[in-house]
């Protein structure tokens, strides 16, 4: 099967190798670009919790962090690894899942992520919000494919806007919701928010 990968440039290689090892033909066409916002140090001391919801955000925090938050939470094991470890990784890889598992009282919380990140955690936890990067959706000419892998809501929206018609495997519930809202047919969803989850979902969808 010919599978299209859509993550930002430089982030498709490992997944492509694993899917080729399963016998698939893989083509890569990034649908989003990530641009850092600011370069000043991020002071974490004084926060009871640091929350990140993407690997890009986790890497930016590590690059710019000063001090340490009391505890750290990440949506997904891959994000926790990018952060250098987390005290809490919710079973449900969504903001709702993280909100449900955070112990109370939470104290002072910093949520660091994309400029356009959902503000559920900010609103529910009265958290400080720090935009670390912005996402720019791309509109390339898409190569033909029988299946597309979507690893973010932004990629799902860009795929639909570009006229993509292939069914999709998504990395998690928020991406699935964005894809379905844009009219994309989802045929698989990763059970874990990482490459292992995506590969397993592709295997199930291509049996």
């Amino acid at each position: 099967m010919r599978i299209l990968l859509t993550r930002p440039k430089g982030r498709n290689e490992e997944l492509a190798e694993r899917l080729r090892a399963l016998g698939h033909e893989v083509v890569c066409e990034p649908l989003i670009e990530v641009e850092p916002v600011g370069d000043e140090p991020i002071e974490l001391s004084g926060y009871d919790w640091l929350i990140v919801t993407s690997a890009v955000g986790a890497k930016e925090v590590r690059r710019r962090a000063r001090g340490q938050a009391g505890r750290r939470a990440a949506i997904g094991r891959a994000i926790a690894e990018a952060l250098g470890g987390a005290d809490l990784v919710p079973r449900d890889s969504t903001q709702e899942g993280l909100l449900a598992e955070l112990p109370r009282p939470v104290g002072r919380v910093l949520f660091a992520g994309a400029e356009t990140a959902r503000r559920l955690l900010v609103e529910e936890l009265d958290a400080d919000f720090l935009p670390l990067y912005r996402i720019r959706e791309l509109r390339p000419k898409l190569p033909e494919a029988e299946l597309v892998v979507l690893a973010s809501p932004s990629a799902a929206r860009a795929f639909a806007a570009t006229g993509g018609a292939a069914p999709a495997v998504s990395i998690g519930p928020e991406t699935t919701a964005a894809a379905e809202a844009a009219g994309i047919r989802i045929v698989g969803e990763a059970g874990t928010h990482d490459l292992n989850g995506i590969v397993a979902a592709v295997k199930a969808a291509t049996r």
Side-chain angles (χ1 to χ4, degrees):
M1 178 174 285
R2 196 165 200 243
I3 300 177
L4 171 63
L5 305 186
T6 61
R7 300 174 86 183
K9 186 177 180 180
R11 297 189 58 202
N12 288 301
E13 286 72 12
E14 183 179 351
L15 179 57
E17 288 179 9
R18 294 182 61 173
L19 295 179
R20 288 182 182 118
L22 296 175
H24 298 294
E25 180 184 357
V26 179
V27 290
C28 301
E29 186 61 68
L31 288 178
I32 60 172
E33 284 183 344
V34 176
E35 302 173 349
V37 175
D39 201 45
E40 65 280 2
I42 300 170
E43 182 55 62
L44 297 179
S45 301
Y47 285 104
D48 298 289
W49 281 95
L50 164 67
I51 297 175
V52 294
T53 57
S54 72
V56 173
K59 291 173 183 176
E60 277 295 292
V61 167
R62 291 188 74 179
R63 182 176 74 86
R64 296 166 52 188
R66 300 292 183 271
Q68 293 285 340
R71 287 183 283 183
R72 301 182 293 186
I75 292 182
R77 289 179 298 186
I79 297 170
E81 291 174 5
L83 188 61
D87 300 283
L88 174 62
V89 179
R91 291 182 294 273
D92 179 10
S93 296
T94 63
Q95 290 195 26
E96 288 82 359
L98 181 56
L99 186 63
E101 292 190 35
L102 272 172
R104 303 297 197 277
V106 293
R108 190 174 178 222
V109 178
L110 175 65
F111 173 33
E115 278 186 334
T116 54
R118 294 173 62 211
R119 300 297 201 272
L120 175 66
L121 293 170
V122 174
E123 294 167 358
E124 294 293 329
L125 301 174
D126 194 24
D128 292 337
F129 175 69
L130 178 64
L132 296 174
Y133 61 96
R134 61 177 57 96
I135 297 172
R136 188 164 70 90
E137 296 180 11
L138 306 177
R139 300 289 187 271
K141 179 177 174 57
L142 294 176
E144 291 186 6
E146 299 167 88
L147 182 72
V148 60
V149 175
L150 300 172
S152 70
S154 297
R157 290 188 290 268
F159 182 67
T162 308
V169 164
S170 93
I171 198 170
E174 292 184 14
T175 300
T176 293
E180 291 179 337
I184 300 167
R185 183 165 66 94
I186 296 295
V187 294
E189 180 181 287
T192 56
H193 199 83
D194 54 22
L195 291 187
N196 289 336
I198 292 174
V199 171
V202 169
K203 282 183 179 178
T206 56
R207 283 175 184 159

